[in-house]
Amino acid sequence: MRILITAGPTREPIDPVRYISNRSSGKMGYSIAEAALENGHEVILIAGPVNWAAPAVSEFISVESAREMYDAVAERITGCDAAVFCAAVSDYRVAKVAPEKIKKTGDHLTLVLEKTEDILGSCRSVFRFKGVLMGFAAETGNLIANAKDKLTRKGCDFIVANDVSRKDIGFDQDQNEVIIFGADGTHKALPIEEKRVIGKELVKRLEAAHQNR
Ligand code: C5P
């Protein structure tokens, strides 16, 4: 298969030196990329700013903002057999980026934010992607309801849900504990595991879904 994977956080600029971002390390997405490579797949990895060396993928694209990630996906998703959206994309960006560093003046500073592009949500509706689609749901509450809602709303074959309110798993940790929700109504909770091991399991799911198409 040719598999497109997004990984890591995005950075949304506030002014020339500041940005809005999140705690995503990119470990989960990179683990999936490595597992896919091990199984002989062609991998396109689109990553926000992370501290890892890129694995030996067919194409590696480094991006910063949600808009850049959207453009990189839009350009490459056609012709892919599967796509995994593991990136923690910022949902909002600063509406008017200041051209100069913002000075400390008043006691309060208000930033007006606007929505970013929903990349995963554009796959079916805008990019007309027909391949196997796997999204992630990072939640701090109502894990199951939110994951199921994302599954249908975004037209995914799978949503991989994890609870990011826990300190021992998820963001910036080596381990994760996920529940895989399938479009067929099934769900499977995997035991807490190294992200490397979870990556292999997720690639297996992609392979099976691709074969059943
Ligand atoms: O942030 P949220 O939990 O809603 O993300 C759900 C899924 O949507 C993830 O797979 C994430 O990579 C993707 N996403 C995206 N573009 C966004 C926000 C989220 O592709 N702007």
Side-chain angles (χ1 to χ4, degrees):
M1 284 190 284
R2 179 188 289 179
I3 308 176
L4 180 147
I5 300 169
T6 70
T10 63
R11 281 182 188 170
E12 309 303 327
I14 297 171
D15 67 17
V17 296
R18 303 186 178 98
Y19 55 79
I20 298 172
S21 193
N22 59 67
R23 295 179 188 282
S24 169
S25 66
K27 266 182 206 165
M28 193 63 245
Y30 274 52
S31 297
I32 300 166
E34 273 159 19
L37 286 175
E38 272 172 35
N39 282 11
H41 301 293
E42 192 186 316
V43 177
I44 300 170
L45 179 59
I46 300 170
V50 297
N51 286 322
W52 318 109
V57 291
S58 306
E59 198 184 355
F60 175 75
I61 305 104
S62 169
V63 298
E64 288 231 345
S65 64
R67 177 77 227 183
E68 285 173 24
M69 189 172 276
Y70 178 91
D71 290 341
V73 170
E75 229 174 85
R76 293 167 180 86
I77 194 162
T78 307
C80 288
D81 302 294
V84 181
F85 288 81
C86 197
V89 183
S90 180
D91 289 328
Y92 291 91
R93 71 175 143 242
V94 175
K96 275 203 181 112
V97 178
E100 305 280 345
K101 185 178 170 215
I102 297 171
K103 291 282 178 210
K104 183 166 59 180
T105 48
D107 287 340
H108 301 277
L109 172 70
T110 305
L111 293 173
V112 176
L113 306 182
E114 63 182 23
K115 259 193 187 165
T116 56
E117 299 73 19
D118 183 350
I119 311 171
L120 174 62
S122 304
C123 283
R124 301 295 192 207
S125 57
V126 182
F127 309 146
R128 301 279 161 212
F129 179 61
K130 301 278 191 297
V132 181
L133 189 58
M134 180 179 277
F136 275 68
E139 307 291 349
T140 54
N142 290 329
L143 187 72
I144 294 173
N146 286 334
K148 283 187 173 166
D149 171 59
K150 265 174 207 167
L151 184 74
T152 45
R153 202 157 36 83
K154 305 199 181 194
C156 294
D157 295 290
F158 301 103
I159 281 283
V160 182
N162 63 321
D163 181 347
V164 290
S165 66
R166 283 175 54 179
K167 288 268 182 297
D168 54 333
I169 55 166
F171 275 5
D172 209 17
Q173 297 299 316
D174 290 328
Q175 293 195 317
N176 210 353
E177 187 176 352
V178 302
I179 309 174
I180 307 170
F181 293 88
D184 59 0
T186 60
H187 70 273
K188 187 171 183 219
L190 302 186
I192 185 161
E193 261 301 354
E194 296 292 308
K195 287 182 176 172
R196 209 168 36 78
V197 178
I198 294 174
K200 285 180 194 291
E201 182 62 36
L202 297 181
V203 169
K204 267 197 224 160
R205 298 295 176 119
L206 299 176
E207 289 166 347
H210 179 61
Q211 274 186 347
N212 290 336
R213 267 178 188 249

